[in-house]
Amino acid sequence: MTLFAEEPAPAAVVICRRCKQPLTKRESKDRRAGDDCAEILGITTPAAPYARTRAGGDVPGQTDLTELEEM
Protein backbone atom coordinates (compact mmCIF):
# COMPACT_ATOMS: atom_id res chain seq x y z
CA MET A 1 0.00 0.00 0.00
CA THR A 2 1.25 3.48 -0.87
CA LEU A 3 0.33 6.71 0.81
CA PHE A 4 0.70 8.83 -2.30
CA ALA A 5 -0.63 8.36 -5.81
CA GLU A 6 2.03 7.43 -8.31
CA GLU A 7 3.22 10.27 -10.47
CA PRO A 8 2.67 9.89 -14.20
CA ALA A 9 5.72 9.07 -16.27
CA PRO A 10 7.35 12.24 -17.64
CA ALA A 11 6.80 12.87 -21.33
CA ALA A 12 9.78 12.34 -23.58
CA VAL A 13 11.79 15.52 -23.99
CA VAL A 14 12.08 16.57 -27.63
CA ILE A 15 15.08 18.71 -28.52
CA CYS A 16 15.68 21.00 -31.48
CA ARG A 17 17.71 19.34 -34.23
CA ARG A 18 19.74 22.53 -34.76
CA CYS A 19 20.37 24.18 -31.38
CA LYS A 20 19.62 21.17 -29.10
CA GLN A 21 17.29 23.19 -26.84
CA PRO A 22 14.17 21.48 -25.39
CA LEU A 23 11.00 22.17 -27.37
CA THR A 24 7.70 23.06 -25.71
CA LYS A 25 5.21 23.86 -28.48
CA ARG A 26 3.46 20.99 -30.29
CA GLU A 27 4.24 22.41 -33.75
CA SER A 28 7.92 22.67 -32.86
CA LYS A 29 7.96 19.11 -31.55
CA ASP A 30 6.30 17.84 -34.73
CA ARG A 31 8.96 19.39 -36.97
CA ARG A 32 11.77 18.77 -34.44
CA ALA A 33 12.92 22.40 -34.64
CA GLY A 34 12.03 25.62 -32.85
CA ASP A 35 10.49 28.57 -34.70
CA ASP A 36 13.77 30.44 -35.26
CA CYS A 37 15.75 27.31 -36.17
CA ALA A 38 13.00 26.12 -38.54
CA GLU A 39 13.20 29.44 -40.38
CA ILE A 40 17.00 29.17 -40.62
CA LEU A 41 16.77 25.57 -41.83
CA GLY A 42 13.98 26.39 -44.30
CA ILE A 43 11.48 24.02 -42.67
CA THR A 44 7.82 24.84 -43.18
CA THR A 45 4.95 23.50 -41.14
CA PRO A 46 2.73 21.21 -43.23
CA ALA A 47 -1.01 21.75 -43.26
CA ALA A 48 -2.96 19.73 -40.73
CA PRO A 49 -4.14 16.41 -42.20
CA TYR A 50 -7.74 17.09 -41.20
CA ALA A 51 -7.73 20.30 -43.24
CA ARG A 52 -7.32 18.43 -46.53
CA THR A 53 -10.36 17.92 -48.68
CA ARG A 54 -10.94 15.58 -51.54
CA ALA A 55 -11.35 17.29 -54.88
CA GLY A 56 -14.45 16.30 -56.77
CA GLY A 57 -17.09 16.33 -54.05
CA ASP A 58 -18.72 13.45 -52.22
CA VAL A 59 -17.95 9.80 -52.78
CA PRO A 60 -20.90 7.75 -54.07
CA GLY A 61 -22.46 5.79 -51.20
CA GLN A 62 -20.78 7.92 -48.53
CA THR A 63 -22.83 8.63 -45.40
CA ASP A 64 -23.24 12.27 -44.40
CA LEU A 65 -22.55 12.32 -40.66
CA THR A 66 -24.49 15.55 -40.20
CA GLU A 67 -27.69 13.87 -41.38
CA LEU A 68 -27.58 10.87 -39.03
CA GLU A 69 -30.27 10.71 -36.38
CA GLU A 70 -29.28 10.45 -32.76
CA MET A 71 -29.44 6.94 -31.39
Side-chain angles (χ1 to χ4, degrees), residues 58-69:
D58 293 334
V59 176
Q62 181 177 9
T63 303
D64 186 356
L65 297 177
T66 60
E67 295 178 2
L68 292 177
E69 295 180 19

Side-chain angles (χ1 to χ4, degrees), residues 5 10 12 14 19-20 22 26 28 31 35 37-39 42 46 62 65:
V14 179
C19 68
K20 309 300 184 221
R26 181 174 173 81
S28 298
R31 66 178 174 239
D35 294 336
C37 292
E39 185 177 336
Q62 181 177 9
L65 297 177

Side-chain angles (χ1 to χ4, degrees), residues 8-25:
V13 176
V14 179
I15 59 170
C16 177
R17 65 173 92 173
R18 180 177 175 274
C19 68
K20 309 300 184 221
Q21 294 295 314
L23 301 172
T24 56
K25 295 191 323 188

